[in-house]
Amino acid sequence: MTSRTLLRLAMAGAVVAGSLTALSVPAQAGNAPKTVPVRLLALNDFHGNLEPPTGSSGRMVDENGNTVNAGGAVYVAAHMKALRDANTIEVAQGDLIGASPLISAAFHDEPSVDFLGKIGVQVSAVGNHEFDEGYAELRRIMFGGCHPVDGCSPAGPWKGAKYDYVGANVLFKNPGEKTDVTQSLSANPQVKTLLSDWGVPALPPVSIKWMNGVPIGFIGLVTQTTPNIVTAEGIKDLKFVDEVKAANVASKILKLFGVRAQVVLVHEGDQVTPNQSPDACSAIPGAGNRIATQVDPEIDMVLSGHSHQAYLCRVKDPAGQDRLYSQGGSFGRVITQVDMQVDTKTRDIVRSSVVADNHVVTRDVDPDSDTVTFMDFWRDKISAVANKPVGRISADITNVGTATGESPLGDLIADGQLAATKTGGNAQIALMNPGGVRAPLTYLTSPASEGDGVVTYGEAFTVQPFNNLMQAVTLTGAQLKTLLEQQFPGGPNNQPFAKILQPSANLSYTYSRSAAWGSKISNIKIDGVPVTDTQSIRVAANNFLVGGGDAFAAFKEGTDVWSGPLDIDAFVAYLGQNNPIAPPATTRITAVD
């Protein structure tokens, strides 16, 4: 790491001669204001959506109950400018990068990080997708340097993010690891004691920003389920610990520095009752609510992400006081505005003054001219690849699951993966994780005007942006049944909610909604033939799943691992070989009560 670490405390005035000191509170003059205003503007789960997202991913229910087109960098920038005032700090709650469309992903998301810095983001929590290419690549994104394999992008040497990435619950597994984060923190004996009982931070846990003479402390957190949803190799040296416990340690560190105005930026959230106003408290209490209600009472508000929902809630902290708990959708479709007053004597947020509003990033405003120029540059660099036709479809192919959890696009991808792994991998069936199907394929032509029904490489990449390797492993019939059981909560793999794997056309089975875990799956057939417990089956999946991702631990029991093409290459090849493709019938999985 470079010296751009931890809190940028040197800038904040909290590092003196190598030791941490509390921030002094000056005596108030008689005419000094009792409070000063601070505005936060927050984004979450941007996922490199520089272009306006399409399909359902590009629409949002507004405050009046209308569904409107939303998102796109030129409109995010325009709305940010309109909402920004002299008291503003811009923040984010993670997944700004990763699972990104081609215009960003082709250059390892440097365009998106650059854009977010240009519009004024100052601090962000890390999300699980910040680890998609591993911890070493995240450090490169944070601190600069050209990609070790692909080299510098067309914009030249990468200078690093203009904003701070923070993650208080990301620790090294090795307690002997030494970093400049720990060296900076350990200069204070009290902080050193906290860390000795806690662990070795792999990322700066907090960031301090000053506004109108008062310090605001931001605590970064990422879902502790990250090891289950990113490729294991890239984070093999890290552990992701309980968010509440990490937040409370970080809060104590901020308090030791004299920072009383404390904001959690957490990449974890809750699902909502559908089709509600973005300003409604529609969140159904879950993992995000647990954090929002249990973190230390010193923490004044919790801005969340990860679940891609929009809500504004007031929850009770452990001391019974109200605090804000919010999220702003995803893909740059919503900006959360939080206005508050900070007491100049105590330097704490006056919670009764907190007012929040989720603004939908509508496309009925003039696009930001600087961002138009920025986008033109990157479109030009990627256009030849992005606009190349790779196949045709006869109708929209959606990634929305049916009542069984099966989606037409998920099934199509699984079919392509099986076709790509039969030769070499000897695959007999294929399974695709639903979270990896990031966007629908739409029949109508895109702004590139390639024609109705034409699928371009850029559109295919938006569907499958992870560049995972296709692999095949051998499982027994009994292990395959266990794997399918692991789609549901209640088992030892601790699946938080049902995640229905998308099957290739030659695999069918039935699941029971009411049966106990371990007895939910029945009638498994391959090519119409019942599967026995002892038979060997070659199963194809991406390397994320094969490594046990999404809590599918049974995949790790597979033997004779074979690696083949990238998943995007398998998908593109299948599109090209089957023209035109109609939406597959979602009849491979049967659900009974």
Side-chain angles (χ1 to χ4, degrees):
M1 295 185 184
T2 72
S3 59
R4 287 171 51 187
T5 59
L6 188 55
L7 314 170
R8 305 211 179 173
L9 287 174
M11 184 173 67
V15 173
V16 179
S19 63
L20 299 172
T21 63
L23 307 179
S24 60
V25 180
Q28 281 190 276
N31 59 354
K34 293 184 178 180
T35 63
V36 291
V38 175
R39 171 173 292 181
L40 305 181
L41 295 177
L43 280 171
N44 60 276
D45 297 272
F46 185 65
H47 286 292
N49 275 263
L50 296 169
E51 297 280 18
T54 60
S56 60
S57 297
R59 295 190 289 269
M60 196 76 199
V61 176
D62 68 12
E63 294 89 339
N64 300 314
N66 301 316
T67 299
V68 299
N69 291 329
V74 296
Y75 302 109
V76 172
H79 281 272
M80 278 288 193
K81 282 187 176 179
L83 294 172
R84 187 184 300 122
D85 66 12
N87 311 305
T88 298
I89 303 171
E90 293 178 28
V91 300
Q93 293 97 267
D95 275 11
L96 303 181
I97 59 177
S100 306
L102 187 63
I103 192 171
S104 183
F107 308 107
H108 300 280
D109 281 315
E110 290 176 22
S112 292
V113 178
D114 190 23
F115 163 71
L116 293 162
K118 287 179 183 295
I119 65 171
V121 173
Q122 295 185 51
V123 56
S124 176
V126 289
N128 53 281
H129 281 285
E130 266 79 16
F131 294 92
D132 278 350
E133 294 189 49
Y135 175 64
E137 171 63 4
L138 173 58
R139 285 170 48 124
R140 187 189 72 84
I141 287 294
M142 292 169 66
F143 302 122
C146 295
H147 191 272
V149 176
D150 295 333
C152 296
S153 82
W158 177 240
K159 297 179 181 178
K162 295 183 178 71
Y163 52 89
D164 302 334
Y165 265 125
V166 287
N169 65 325
V170 185
L171 307 178
F172 284 111
K173 290 179 179 177
N174 177 9
E177 189 78 37
K178 300 296 183 183
T179 71
D180 56 347
V181 174
T182 52
Q183 289 168 359
S184 296
L185 287 169
S186 297
N188 180 292
Q190 293 171 292
V191 176
K192 186 175 182 179
T193 299
L194 279 174
L195 289 180
S196 66
D197 295 333
W198 181 237
V200 182
L203 293 169
V206 296
S207 177
I208 296 172
K209 301 300 175 187
W210 288 77
M211 180 56 62
N212 293 329
V214 295
I216 313 295
F218 296 95
I219 299 167
L221 302 169
V222 61
T223 173
Q224 64 178 319
T225 67
T226 295
N228 292 332
I229 48 180
V230 303
T231 303
E233 179 64 22
I235 58 167
K236 62 183 179 182
D237 297 325
L238 306 179
K239 60 181 179 179
F240 296 78
V241 299
D242 180 78
E243 303 96 340
V244 172
K245 292 178 180 178
N248 292 348
V249 171
S251 174
K252 289 181 174 64
I253 291 173
L254 286 174
K255 192 173 180 181
L256 287 172
F257 299 157
V259 179
R260 300 297 304 277
Q262 299 184 9
V263 178
V264 159
L265 306 173
V266 56
H267 192 72
E268 181 62 279
D270 292 326
Q271 298 301 315
V272 300
T273 304
N275 301 316
Q276 302 294 302
S277 163
D279 292 335
C281 182
S282 55
I284 300 169
N289 181 272
R290 179 188 77 88
I291 297 165
T293 56
Q294 293 184 14
V295 293
D296 197 288
E298 286 286 342
I299 294 166
D300 297 291
M301 65 186 66
V302 176
L303 310 186
S304 70
H306 189 49
S307 59
H308 290 203
Q309 307 300 329
Y311 48 80
L312 297 176
C313 294
R314 299 239 176 219
V315 298
K316 296 294 185 181
D317 70 15
Q321 301 300 309
D322 283 346
R323 65 178 162 208
L324 174 68
Y325 169 49
S326 71
Q327 190 177 158
S330 61
F331 305 150
R333 293 176 295 167
V334 174
I335 297 169
T336 303
Q337 175 183 334
V338 183
D339 287 303
M340 55 192 170
Q341 297 289 320
V342 181
D343 189 300
T344 55
K345 183 176 181 180
T346 66
R347 290 184 168 182
D348 207 351
I349 293 171
V350 181
R351 292 198 198 178
S352 61
S353 73
V354 175
V355 178
D357 189 4
N358 271 337
H359 294 276
V360 176
V361 178
T362 59
R363 301 179 195 167
D364 58 357
V365 299
D366 291 334
D368 177 68
S369 58
D370 291 339
T371 307
V372 168
T373 302
F374 173 87
M375 290 297 298
D376 286 344
F377 173 85
W378 289 109
R379 285 193 191 105
D380 177 66
K381 301 305 178 187
I382 202 62
S383 60
V385 174
N387 297 332
K388 180 182 178 182
V390 296
R392 296 185 65 87
I393 56 176
S394 61
D396 289 352
I397 304 181
T398 179
N399 61 335
V400 177
T402 64
T404 65
E406 189 180 351
S407 76
L409 189 50
D411 286 356
L412 175 63
I413 291 170
D415 291 343
Q417 293 183 345
L418 178 59
T421 54
K422 280 185 175 180
T423 301
N426 299 316
Q428 297 168 266
I429 60 172
L431 293 165
M432 174 63 192
N433 54 307
V437 188
R438 304 302 294 190
L441 287 177
T442 53
Y443 178 78
L444 293 178
T445 187
S446 74
S449 301
E450 71 279 2
D452 291 348
V454 175
V455 179
T456 65
Y457 184 85
E459 290 168 334
F461 191 91
T462 299
V463 170
Q464 282 240 272
F466 291 104
N467 279 320
N468 286 320
L469 274 177
M470 288 310 306
Q471 295 185 317
V473 296
T474 298
L475 296 176
T476 66
Q479 288 169 332
L480 175 60
K481 181 182 184 298
T482 298
L483 180 71
L484 297 176
E485 292 279 348
Q486 289 176 344
Q487 297 174 116
F488 303 97
N493 59 316
N494 198 30
Q495 191 72 270
F497 51 85
K499 294 181 182 178
I500 304 301
L501 295 170
Q502 309 295 289
S504 55
N506 62 336
L507 172 65
S508 64
Y509 66 92
T510 298
Y511 72 78
S512 168
R513 296 186 179 94
S514 59
W517 194 96
S519 301
K520 300 183 80 67
I521 302 298
S522 62
N523 200 31
I524 306 172
K525 294 181 180 180
I526 297 175
D527 295 318
V529 179
V531 169
T532 67
D533 284 350
T534 57
Q535 77 180 88
S536 295
I537 305 163
R538 293 291 288 170
V539 183
N542 58 51
N543 64 296
F544 165 70
L545 277 177
V546 171
D550 272 349
F552 288 101
F555 259 122
K556 294 193 289 185
E557 299 175 11
T559 58
D560 299 323
V561 179
W562 171 89
S563 295
L566 293 175
D567 53 4
I568 179 61
D569 293 340
F571 185 43
V572 166
Y574 193 74
L575 290 170
Q577 293 162 4
N578 298 271
N579 273 308
I581 291 179
T586 51
T587 56
R588 305 171 187 186
I589 303 173
T590 301
V592 297
D593 292 331

